[in-house]
Amino acid sequence: QVQLVESGGGLVQAGGSLRLACAASGSISRLGGMGWHRQAPGKQREWVGTVTDGGDTNYADSVKDRFTISRDNTKNTVYLQMNSLKPEDTAVYYCNAAISTYRRSYWTEYWGQGTQVTVSS
């Protein structure tokens, strides 16, 4: 019913930049907070940052001052601008969102399938 699709991942050299996008589609009534997580091989998934429906952002200490989250409510899309990338940023990046649908008026957490980000040194 609802789908989140990430895009923009790829290979980049250390110090470079990437912009990820995550578009929500389906029978969306309300789109609440959206965020990003990442998971490196053999490691637990970690929280990267979030943006509320009002535009307030929060970030993990590991990405503060390097990553920026924004959203475009007209496109149901959240973005992750990643600057000064480091090899340790290499991971699969997942977006998530709190969404209510016309069928289900309560908030439901949805996740995308992830997009690979690889930073070479």
Side-chain angles (χ1 to χ4, degrees), residues 18-49:
L18 282 176
R19 181 186 293 271
L20 306 183
C22 173
S25 62
S27 301
I28 299 173
S29 177
R30 295 181 62 191
L31 184 62
M34 306 182 75
W36 292 92
H37 292 71
R38 65 186 182 184
Q39 187 168 23
K43 295 186 177 181
Q44 296 292 319
R45 184 174 299 187
E46 66 172 337
W47 172 73
V48 173

Side-chain angles (χ1 to χ4, degrees), residues 51-119:
V51 57
T52 69
D53 55 354
D56 297 323
T57 56
N58 290 283
Y59 303 94
D61 289 338
S62 59
V63 305
K64 284 182 178 178
D65 301 321
R66 297 190 300 121
F67 291 9
T68 302
I69 297 175
S70 60
R71 63 190 293 160
D72 185 345
N73 291 329
T74 66
K75 299 181 178 180
N76 290 336
T77 299
V78 62
Y79 302 92
L80 180 65
Q81 177 66 47
M82 304 183 293
N83 299 323
S84 302
L85 283 164
K86 307 174 181 179
E88 51 263 43
D89 294 319
T90 296
V92 177
Y93 283 72
Y94 301 88
C95 72
N96 74 302
I99 297 174
S100 65
T101 66
Y102 291 104
R103 186 65 177 177
R104 302 173 180 174
S105 60
Y106 52 88
W107 291 112
T108 302
E109 193 78 36
Y110 290 88
W111 290 83
Q113 81 291 336
T115 185
Q116 177 70 48
V117 172
T118 302
V119 184

